[in-house]
Amino acid sequence: MKLLSGDRPRSTMLTLILLGIFLCLALAPFLFPGVRSLETAARICIFIVLVASYDLLLGYTGIVSFAHTMFFGLGAYGVALASVHMERGFGALAVGTVAGAVAAALLALVIGLFSLRVRAIFFAMITLAVAAAVAVLVSQLSAITGGEDGLNFRIPRELTPAFRLGEVAGVKINGKLLNYYLVFGSSLMLFLLLLRIVNSPFGRVLQAIRENDFRAEAVGYRVVWYRVTATCLSAAVAALAGSLFAIWLRYVGPDTVLSFEIMLDILLMVVIGGMGTIYGAVVGATIFVLAQNYLQALMGRAAESVAGVPLLPDLLNPDRWLLWLGVLFILSVYFFPTGIVGRLRGKA
Amino acid sequence: MSAAPDHTPTMAGLGLVERLARAMPLLLVPVLVMAGFVAIGTTSSWLTLTVSGLAMGMMIFIMASGLTLVFGLMDVINFGHGAFISVGAFVGISVLLGLGAWTGALSLVLNVGAVMLAVFAAMIVTGLLGWGFERIIVRPVYGAHLKQILVTVGGLIVIEQMIQVIWGPDEIFLTRPEMLKGAVIFAGAAIEKYRLLAVAVGLVLFVLMRVVFRRTKIGLIVRAGVENGEMVQALGYRLRVVFVGVFIAGSALAGLGGVMWGLYQEVITAGMGEEMMILVFIVVIIGGLGSVEGAFIGALLVGLTQNYVAFLTPKLALISNIGLMTAILMWRPQGMLPVVKAK
């Protein structure tokens, strides 16, 4: 319980679901052999951290940011640039990761000082503008960032499929597997760290600010300081998740780490899972990534089956899946504001 | 009885420095234009850039004015505003393409008539859409900023995707009506006719808005509502109704802005509203939330800066707006002319 910082799931059903997800992710290479399922599992791990760090901001502090993918991208590009310019090895990964996280925290500090000082709502608008400017900058400065094509880079040989160690229970133990466990282990640690943060006295103050910032200020907490610190922490963790993503993919590009679409995905995952509960990130990210992988195929099939009807095939076109995401998003904010975790906890 | 306290009130008027400091936001535009002249050097390119900067600023102002008022009145922040820009552009341009015979003719009357019809159609559609949007999306989440942002972003996505369902996913290219093509030569500078039209429309709209706000009763209620809504309600006015009206008008203006921007760029995409929203937000923030005049000055500043910087150092143009916003917020954290008290 100490590991969970005293914040139990508080619902039998939720405990079972979380345990199930944990076991599936921990044993993914053995339970679901295959390249595609391993990709999915790694994606889930990374998005759990990314979404949990966003929840620290949205769910716990009550600040809306549209720059979370920017911080994610900073971490990813940090690793990519370090790997391109330094010798191949773990040193480059470490330098890139640290540099990305520090850069993200500093940028968050500057944005936060500018916008959170006046009113929290500025923050949403300013982050949107800054994130858009950074995305344009990254795709324009192709000499440094590779532009729209992004960057391919080499990671240490120990983390690539070429590094073979043998076989256990019919599963080949190679560098890819080690890479997966690097992602899994780091994600788990970051997740527990976030759980620790939100259940600390610091996290309690954040919740107080979310509920009533005026009263929190009156009680004697410096609201701006807490908000800015939460923003920086959240940005740094997002950058670390970005570094993991880059190490896993061995590639970064504007579409994979910086696009506004990922920002929407994160928002949806937080809302579906449940705002203000770090566990919500686990449930939300898992459901969403699985749905994303398999729903589009389903929509394509549905579109074919109604080919004769007017308008319907267009609505069900797999390219229009954002439309349904948007509808789902609005409906869940209205009717499902506490998300899955909130519902499960409410029953218990 | 004690004697009156000894004090001597001073009746001196404001000094020159104080007057200048107060008028500073208003003076920024001419100052920027002068600075641009000094930096650029040649009159002809300076004139071309200034007119295109003003045109761009006017169009952004048209889109931003509704947003800032909606925020001022009801404390509603509408991230879905950009969707109205896109919808306006698509409806307007569809009408224009349908009136090909009018836009192709070499007659100013027919050309302007076609544009007017397109603008009219776009404003009606976006106005209606705004009305529906207010009822379905915004009304259930009054007073909750967090939910407002989330829900209106959802609305933005849904409307943008619906545009792609109806008009297809590809961008639509178009050409301006015959008489609005080309440029006039003035003092050795080529000035596009369409830009002059955009400046004129923007100025007329701004003056019209000023008149409505300063001279009519409805304008008085709106201004009072922005400053202290509870008091206006206590005096017996139904602010909700006024607010819905402002929301619809703001949406219709966004539609107008969309048509004009589409004609300016000669290409429209479903994502154009979302891209414009970034500029619109910058304008609303530097102008001061709730202030129409602030939005006007802010829009002109953004348009001029972008054009000057793009000419002087093209690399910097990408972040010039962010730089402008940073500078203004360092000077006045609330924006230039804030009306709404910080909450």
Side-chain angles (χ1 to χ4, degrees), chain A residues 176-190:
Chain A
K176 194 79 183 161
L177 203 75
L178 293 183
N179 197 343
Y180 175 74
Y181 278 106
L182 173 75
V183 169
F184 175 77
S186 315
S187 303
L188 187 66
M189 265 159 48
L190 286 172

Side-chain angles (χ1 to χ4, degrees), chain B residues 71-283:
Chain B
F71 184 86
L73 260 186
M74 272 309 205
D75 214 20
V76 166
I77 191 76
N78 181 13
F79 275 71
H81 199 70
F84 303 138
I85 299 174
S86 300
V87 170
F90 273 86
V91 171
I93 300 308
S94 301
V95 170
L96 269 185
L97 292 178
L99 290 172
W102 286 25
T103 56
L106 270 171
S107 142
L108 192 63
V109 179
L110 278 183
N111 286 172
V112 172
V115 173
M116 296 267 275
L117 263 181
V119 163
F120 197 62
M123 287 180 76
I124 293 211
V125 171
T126 50
L128 283 176
L129 193 67
W131 181 67
F133 197 81
E134 199 276 338
R135 285 201 79 108
I136 300 169
I137 307 270
V138 181
R139 190 163 297 182
V141 289
Y142 271 145
H145 272 163
L146 194 81
K147 281 190 176 178
Q148 261 167 25
I149 297 176
L150 298 179
V151 164
T152 52
V153 167
L156 171 75
I157 299 164
V158 171
I159 294 179
E160 260 185 15
Q161 293 291 315
M162 283 311 287
I163 290 178
Q164 298 201 3
V165 169
I166 296 170
W167 277 280
D170 301 321
E171 63 267 80
I172 299 177
F173 292 93
L174 58 130
T175 51
R176 286 176 209 149
E178 287 301 324
M179 294 304 283
L180 296 176
K181 284 179 186 165
V184 287
I185 308 291
F186 176 78
I191 297 169
E192 276 189 50
K193 287 180 199 164
Y194 182 72
R195 289 185 181 160
L196 287 177
L197 178 76
V199 173
V201 171
L203 269 183
V204 167
L205 251 174
F206 178 67
V207 171
L208 211 69
M209 279 171 110
R210 280 283 298 204
V211 170
V212 169
F213 283 131
R214 303 279 155 179
R215 297 269 182 272
T216 66
K217 182 152 182 185
I218 188 84
L220 185 69
I221 297 172
V222 170
R223 276 191 299 139
V226 170
E227 252 174 53
N228 192 339
E230 273 176 28
M231 200 60 187
V232 175
Q233 277 173 318
L235 289 171
Y237 295 103
R238 286 201 292 167
L239 207 55
R240 280 273 164 111
V241 180
V242 178
F243 171 71
V244 174
V246 171
F247 198 97
I248 293 172
S251 312
L253 282 178
L256 167 63
V259 180
M260 295 187 64
W261 190 253
L263 278 172
Y264 183 64
Q265 296 281 346
E266 301 189 281
V267 57
I268 52 173
T269 64
M272 64 183 279
E274 204 181 296
E275 287 157 30
M276 288 311 293
M277 271 319 269
I278 290 158
L279 286 180
V280 166
F281 275 140
I282 293 178
V283 162

Side-chain angles (χ1 to χ4, degrees), chain A residues 253-281:
Chain A
D255 288 341
T256 38
V257 295
L258 280 173
S259 71
F260 192 67
E261 212 166 300
I262 299 178
M263 192 63 242
L264 296 177
D265 292 353
I266 300 174
L267 271 171
L268 205 70
M269 290 182 209
V270 172
V271 171
I272 290 178
M275 285 187 271
T277 58
I278 289 286
Y279 292 118

Side-chain angles (χ1 to χ4, degrees), chain A residues 75-326:
Chain A
Y77 271 96
V79 167
L81 290 174
S83 302
V84 167
H85 294 293
M86 288 172 65
E87 222 169 289
R88 181 187 187 184
F90 285 98
L93 297 189
V95 169
T97 307
V98 172
V102 170
L106 282 179
L107 192 56
L109 179 71
V110 174
I111 300 176
L113 283 181
F114 260 104
S115 44
L116 291 172
R117 206 154 49 105
V118 185
R119 51 162 78 204
I121 196 147
F122 267 30
F123 192 73
M125 298 194 248
I126 289 181
T127 48
L128 189 68
V130 173
V134 168
V136 174
L137 217 56
V138 166
S139 59
Q140 294 291 320
L141 297 176
S142 46
I144 306 169
T145 60
E148 291 291 335
D149 296 335
L151 292 170
N152 278 301
F153 57 92
R154 283 144 57 94
I155 56 173
R157 191 167 166 276
E158 288 78 5
L159 297 177
T160 61
F163 182 72
R164 295 200 180 82
L165 282 170
E167 254 187 47
V168 173
V171 179
K172 290 195 187 82
I173 307 292
N174 60 18
K176 194 79 183 161
L177 203 75
L178 293 183
N179 197 343
Y180 175 74
Y181 278 106
L182 173 75
V183 169
F184 175 77
S186 315
S187 303
L188 187 66
M189 265 159 48
L190 286 172
F191 178 78
L192 291 175
L193 174 75
L194 282 169
L195 205 57
R196 179 68 260 172
I197 290 173
V198 298
N199 287 296
S200 66
F202 174 77
R204 290 281 175 271
V205 177
L206 293 186
Q207 289 175 52
I209 291 172
R210 176 193 68 192
E211 293 304 326
N212 191 335
D213 57 342
F214 186 69
R215 192 175 287 180
E217 183 90 55
V219 171
Y221 294 105
R222 289 172 58 195
V223 169
V224 175
W225 187 86
Y226 279 93
R227 276 187 175 148
V228 171
T229 313
T231 312
C232 293
L233 274 174
S234 153
V237 176
L240 293 177
S243 305
L244 286 178
F245 201 46
I247 293 171
W248 174 251
L249 289 179
R250 287 180 283 166
Y251 163 79
V252 291
D255 288 341
T256 38
V257 295
L258 280 173
S259 71
F260 192 67
E261 212 166 300
I262 299 178
M263 192 63 242
L264 296 177
D265 292 353
I266 300 174
L267 271 171
L268 205 70
M269 290 182 209
V270 172
V271 171
I272 290 178
M275 285 187 271
T277 58
I278 289 286
Y279 292 118
V282 181
V283 182
T286 308
I287 292 177
F288 190 89
V289 173
L290 288 178
Q292 198 173 29
N293 273 356
Y294 303 103
L295 199 72
Q296 274 168 310
L298 200 72
M299 278 178 70
R301 233 172 288 146
E304 277 165 30
S305 64
V306 289
V309 192
L311 202 64
L312 264 184
D314 280 335
L315 283 173
L316 289 172
N317 187 329
D319 290 341
R320 292 289 80 74
W321 99 296
L322 256 183
L323 172 70
W324 299 103
L325 273 191

